[in-house]
Amino acid sequence: MEKVKQLLFHWANEARHQQPNVLTINCTSLAKTSDIFGKILGESQLRKKVNGVTSPLQHLQNLYSQKPQPSGMKMMLIIADELDYLITKDRAVLHDLFMLTTFPFSRCILIGIANAIDLADRFLPKLQSLNCKPTVVTFRAYSKDQILKILHERLMVHLFSWQVQCEVLFGRKYQICNDL
């Protein structure tokens, strides 16, 4: 996700556009699925109350339905990992999240990462009827060799750190007792 943010900032700079706000969230970290709207609202830095609206979702819907002021809000990229976590019985949270991108003055781009390959087709059928079905990019599963390479690279980082700590510890021990 960090690489996506870096590329986005690079593209914005190249095109001489204002850098967008970026919210990366792992949906499993939410206490309630609807908490995602509060996180989005908090990141947009527009916390003032609008026409007595109280819920973060209603506030966002109101914001994205009105033409922004010239000094208005920045574009927002939401990268939601583990999007399948937002699947509820009535699918309302997932549906409302995708719908935020369709409002007339929405400044919101959503990248959802999910394990359910058919998430859009199976859980968001209303989106297709509204002509706003998301683009789905499917990635193949890692091969055994790719998994081993990732594990090796991550272990080497931690192993080096652990090795340095051991050397410091043993160096101190040797310094105290002068005995190997």
Side-chain angles (χ1 to χ4, degrees):
M1 288 197 281
E2 212 40 54
K3 184 72 171 173
V4 171
K5 284 171 51 173
Q6 290 171 358
L7 286 171
L8 179 66
F9 291 148
H10 176 74
W11 294 331
N13 286 338
E14 273 186 355
R16 300 194 194 299
H17 290 296
Q18 183 181 32
Q19 289 194 349
N21 289 327
V22 179
L23 172 64
T24 57
I25 185 164
N26 185 314
C27 296
T28 60
S29 69
L30 301 169
K32 296 183 311 198
T33 57
S34 60
D35 288 351
I36 193 164
F37 302 115
K39 297 258 186 204
I40 295 167
L41 189 59
E43 187 65 33
S44 69
Q45 300 170 345
L46 296 168
R47 295 179 184 94
K48 60 186 176 191
K49 214 173 188 180
V50 178
N51 299 331
V53 174
T54 55
S55 85
L57 173 60
Q58 290 171 326
H59 195 141
L60 288 166
Q61 289 170 334
N62 193 349
L63 284 171
Y64 293 152
S65 297
Q66 299 173 7
K67 189 171 185 176
Q69 301 299 319
S71 63
M73 61 185 169
K74 294 176 163 183
M75 182 66 76
M76 169 152 331
L77 172 65
I78 302 164
I79 304 173
D81 194 9
E82 302 291 344
L83 197 64
D84 340 50
Y85 181 75
L86 301 181
I87 298 170
T88 57
K89 193 173 187 177
D90 65 357
R91 301 177 187 136
V93 171
L94 197 56
H95 183 265
D96 290 338
L97 180 62
F98 276 88
M99 290 306 294
L100 287 177
T101 65
T102 66
F103 283 94
F105 299 104
S106 179
R107 313 239 338 124
C108 179
I109 300 168
L110 174 64
I111 297 177
I113 303 166
N115 293 323
I117 294 171
D118 59 349
L119 182 128
D121 294 330
R122 204 166 86 203
F123 299 106
L124 300 166
K126 284 195 265 183
L127 293 180
Q128 188 162 359
S129 66
L130 297 170
N131 200 25
C132 60
K133 183 179 176 188
T135 302
V136 176
V137 179
T138 305
F139 294 94
R140 292 190 329 236
Y142 288 120
S143 69
K144 179 185 125 198
D145 291 338
Q146 289 171 317
I147 291 172
L148 289 173
K149 182 179 177 192
I150 291 167
L151 287 172
H152 178 76
E153 288 172 357
R154 292 190 181 170
L155 284 173
M156 290 308 293
V157 168
H158 294 295
L159 189 61
F160 176 74
S161 173
W162 182 76
Q163 181 182 357
V164 169
Q165 291 172 354
C166 286
E167 287 173 0
V168 169
L169 179 66
F170 289 127
R172 287 184 189 148
K173 175 97 172 142
Y174 176 72
Q175 187 178 21
I176 292 169
C177 66
N178 288 327
D179 185 19
L180 286 176

